[in-house]
Amino acid sequence: MLKFAANISFLWKDLALPNRVRAAAAAGFDAVEVLFPYDTPAPELKRALDQTGLPLALINCPPPNYTGGERGFAAVPGQEDRFRTDFRRALRYAQALGAGHLHVMSGPAEGSEAETCLIANLQWACDFAPDHSLTIEPINPHDMPGYFLNDFDQAARVIDAVDRANLGLQFDAYHAQRITGDALACWAAHGHRARHVQIADHPGRHEPGSGEIDFPSFFAALVADGYDGWISAEYAPAADVEAGLGWLAEVARG
């Protein structure tokens, strides 16, 4: 059975973060994820999670919010100390809230030295937090120019080189479509590495069914492959959030 989470960094932006958790529960989601929750005191967010019974599927590392700054340091040579400091802080927050996955962002870099740096930092992080699931996510270069991890084959190579059981792939169907032109074929090639999935249609990054990705076939592929992790709705609503949730009701109907 497919399990859906709401990315409340994208959805219900007009509400305070704890109230977005409550809105996600009311809309029928089974979990939430938050990209950068660090501006909200952990006890406030934990209270909303406990009240609704929704687990927190994932948060991003590093803190705080990347607005105006770099989007990670894991692949940036010379920033190893900064990476470790940020990782420790993010891990404490993730543990306080029971976040299932911690997404490690690579940041702006290029070349073989950056890949070597990323592998070493991920090995350190996996060993520092052996009981916590870590993910890396290819992000398309159109939406995030200069971001180091921008290719699924590259991500597979890094995961294999890190060689730790608590590191896996974060598979975003929108990024897969924009990077490769075929999200389903990309899943067929790399889905076996995935421990977290995110969805948005392409183009536009709106609700499933608004663009060119064949989501019924995509969801069927996840079921056929035995994927049992979260599927997070990480999209920009075309209009009202609730008005755009027809896709979720359709999946629930089977």
Side-chain angles (χ1 to χ4, degrees), residues 152-246:
F152 281 84
D153 292 337
Q154 173 195 33
R157 185 171 66 243
V158 168
I159 290 169
D160 286 350
V162 172
D163 193 25
R164 299 294 192 274
N166 56 327
L167 177 67
L169 177 67
Q170 185 169 318
F171 186 98
D172 187 306
Y174 166 78
H175 289 304
Q177 185 73 15
R178 187 141 200 186
I179 291 169
T180 71
D182 191 337
L184 272 71
C186 188
W187 173 264
H190 297 288
H192 64 285
R193 303 176 187 277
R195 61 181 53 185
H196 188 69
V197 169
Q198 294 167 322
I199 55 171
D201 219 328
H202 179 273
R205 205 172 188 177
H206 299 312
E207 297 88 342
S210 63
E212 64 192 17
I213 299 176
D214 182 355
F215 274 102
S217 295
F218 180 70
F219 293 147
L222 267 59
V223 171
D225 291 342
Y227 175 76
D228 60 0
W230 293 110
I231 304 166
S232 178
E234 189 189 52
Y235 59 76
D240 177 74
V241 176
E242 280 77 11
L245 289 177

